Amino acid sequence: MYFNCLKLYNFIMDFVGIEKLSLLDFDEKVSCILFCEHCNFRCPFCHNSSLVYGIHNQVIPFSEIIAYLNKRKHILDAVVISGGEPTLMDDLKDKIKTIKNMSFLLKLDTNGTKPNVIKELVEEKLIDYVAMDIKNCLEKYPLTCGVKQTPNEEILKSIDYLKSNAIDYEFRTTLIKEFHDEAAIVKMGEMIKGAKKLFLQKFIAHDECINPNLEPVDIEQANKYRQILLNYVENVELRGY
């Protein structure tokens, strides 16, 4: 089933989940992860279907989040803002500013569909690191993202902005057997040519996936993709393999 991503902005967004301690999501810094609800994509391999669809989630009052961060000031180095798609949140900048004023490092996870939001947060020095998903080559974005149309121009703007090294960043691609092949990987490499870092992530199915019946790319094929992409990207690593 496909959805029209351009019609998915009429909702109120807030934080509905928190992972209180992580050593893996921000360069091995001690961080916590805040998850927002709702997304403009419906990626079949997404692990956070309840967030994407906005079901069975209870909003965490922002005051409670701030109280938790205050208690953990001497333990946590950073806060990761994830989702869902955080850049759709109307008051994202205000919330990030409040957290940043507490002297935490901030990482933003994003699908890159709102380049102006990314640029504003970077230029106001409110975030320190961006992880942007590169779903596939542009021709396969609708299939990979589960929507009828994808805002390709906006995605390319985000790619170009991050490649300008305005901020430390990484690109990341979750490899799916049904969606990725060598031809698509070559086109994806051309799309992000000149990038400094790309992670190829192993897909692991579980019950929260939108489609748990997809298959991962095996390590041998993942390494072939890595070798292809090294022709375009300075550093390509496997993650989860």
Side-chain angles (χ1 to χ4, degrees):
M1 179 178 291
Y2 291 91
F3 295 81
N4 188 335
C5 70
L6 301 180
K7 294 182 179 179
L8 294 172
Y9 296 105
N10 296 320
F11 40 63
I12 297 173
M13 292 184 63
D14 221 319
F15 293 118
V16 295
I18 181 169
E19 185 174 332
K20 293 186 175 181
L21 191 67
S22 172
L23 300 176
L24 302 175
D25 283 84
F26 191 173
D27 287 344
E28 297 187 354
K29 294 178 175 63
V30 182
S31 64
C32 80
I33 310 172
L34 301 179
F35 296 94
C36 73
E37 193 174 49
H38 296 299
C39 185
N40 51 348
F41 286 165
R42 294 292 185 266
C43 303
F45 53 90
C46 179
H47 282 183
N48 295 327
S49 59
S50 64
L51 297 180
V52 168
Y53 289 116
I55 55 175
H56 309 310
N57 298 312
Q58 185 173 353
V59 170
I60 303 173
F62 193 58
S63 59
E64 290 186 12
I65 293 172
I66 295 304
Y68 173 77
L69 293 176
N70 266 319
K71 290 179 182 177
R72 298 297 186 269
K73 270 188 176 182
H74 302 296
I75 299 173
L76 297 172
D77 304 311
V79 176
V80 178
I81 308 294
S82 192
E85 176 50 43
T87 59
L88 302 179
M89 187 184 293
D90 286 340
D91 60 349
L92 177 66
K93 185 171 79 168
D94 292 337
K95 288 177 176 174
I96 285 181
K97 187 178 293 186
T98 299
I99 296 170
K100 190 66 175 172
N101 286 339
M102 300 169 72
S103 299
F104 290 108
L105 297 171
L106 263 293
K107 175 193 172 193
L108 176 70
D109 291 342
T110 181
N111 61 22
T113 55
K114 303 287 276 187
N116 291 341
V117 174
I118 296 171
K119 184 177 181 181
E120 183 177 21
L121 293 173
V122 171
E123 294 187 349
E124 295 193 24
K125 300 187 184 304
L126 295 176
I127 53 177
D128 303 280
Y129 193 87
V130 175
M132 177 178 164
D133 293 327
I134 304 295
K135 306 293 185 178
N136 210 325
C137 64
L138 283 182
E139 294 93 322
K140 288 195 171 186
Y141 248 71
L143 173 68
T144 313
C145 299
V147 295
K148 290 181 178 179
Q149 292 179 300
T150 52
N152 294 348
E153 184 177 342
E154 303 304 296
I155 291 165
L156 291 174
K157 283 181 181 178
S158 292
I159 290 171
D160 287 344
Y161 182 69
L162 293 177
K163 286 197 310 182
S164 75
N165 291 313
I167 190 172
D168 198 10
Y169 72 95
E170 68 182 56
F171 292 139
R172 57 193 189 182
T173 301
T174 301
L175 295 175
I176 307 294
K177 189 174 182 180
E178 290 85 350
F179 300 150
H180 297 97
D181 55 32
E182 291 190 14
I185 291 296
V186 169
K187 290 179 180 178
M188 193 178 84
E190 293 170 348
M191 182 173 72
I192 62 171
K193 185 176 181 179
K196 67 177 185 178
K197 184 164 42 177
L198 169 68
F199 288 98
L200 299 177
Q201 301 180 152
K202 184 178 182 179
F203 169 67
I204 299 174
H206 65 68
D207 292 342
E208 266 288 293
C209 291
I210 290 178
N211 181 356
N213 298 314
L214 297 171
E215 294 187 44
V217 169
D218 63 41
I219 190 168
E220 182 179 356
Q221 191 64 47
N223 272 312
K224 287 182 181 179
Y225 293 163
R226 177 178 179 271
Q227 290 302 316
I228 291 171
L229 288 161
L230 281 170
N231 293 312
Y232 304 96
V233 179
E234 181 180 338
N235 184 20
V236 183
E237 299 179 22
L238 301 186
R239 177 180 279 162
Y241 281 91

